[in-house]
Amino acid sequence: MTNTMLAEALFAAFEAGDAEAVRGLCASDFVARQNNSPRMDLDTVLGFSAAVLGVVEHFRYEDAVRSETSSGFVEEHRVRGTLPDGTELDLAVCVVADVRNGKVSHLREYVDGVAAAPLLDALQ
């Protein structure tokens, strides 16, 4: 599986809420960060993802642009869905990932904090 195929499979698993598929695509020592926040392990990321899926109707990734790098992949995409108050969520996201032995080992996600504020409010 190429790194871009791995990216596609990873985000499809997140979109579907398939935690076991995500686990199968990530290294056992997986670490993630969002906007340079403190490091999160895979269980924390899966918990956050489940919480988002619980409050965002019609959650989906759109307009994905994937590029393979020598150490992993970069993916730009839009996160879309409907928030509990009926407003539309539309976030531009950039993800930079390292791949080791065919598994995602480190993921860095960058998103506009102002645009993400309504989602964070809905998660409270």
Side-chain angles (χ1 to χ4, degrees):
M1 177 181 306
T2 67
N3 289 347
T4 52
M5 292 167 65
L6 179 60
E8 183 176 8
L10 180 69
F11 290 108
F14 274 122
E15 183 176 287
D18 188 344
E20 289 311 306
V22 172
R23 286 185 192 283
L25 297 166
C26 293
S28 60
D29 59 348
F30 171 90
V31 174
R33 296 180 82 174
Q34 292 176 319
N35 289 354
N36 292 315
S37 66
R39 294 172 155 232
M40 297 179 286
D41 64 12
L42 187 53
D43 287 334
T44 302
V45 171
L46 288 170
F48 178 76
S49 179
V52 169
L53 290 174
V55 299
V56 179
E57 278 191 53
H58 312 293
F59 178 90
R60 62 201 182 277
Y61 297 107
E62 293 183 350
D63 305 326
V65 177
R66 297 178 192 97
S67 301
E68 189 156 333
T69 67
S70 61
S71 61
F73 63 84
V74 173
E75 176 166 317
E76 298 171 80
H77 58 238
R78 305 213 56 101
V79 174
R80 293 201 169 126
T82 305
L83 294 168
D85 66 2
T87 61
E88 291 301 309
L89 175 66
D90 183 5
L91 300 176
V93 178
C94 180
V95 177
V96 180
D98 297 328
V99 174
R100 186 180 68 244
N101 299 322
K103 305 268 186 174
V104 178
S105 60
H106 194 218
L107 189 136
R108 296 171 301 284
E109 181 179 63
Y110 302 97
V111 61
D112 177 355
V114 173
L119 171 60
L120 297 177
D121 288 345
L123 291 169
Q124 298 300 323

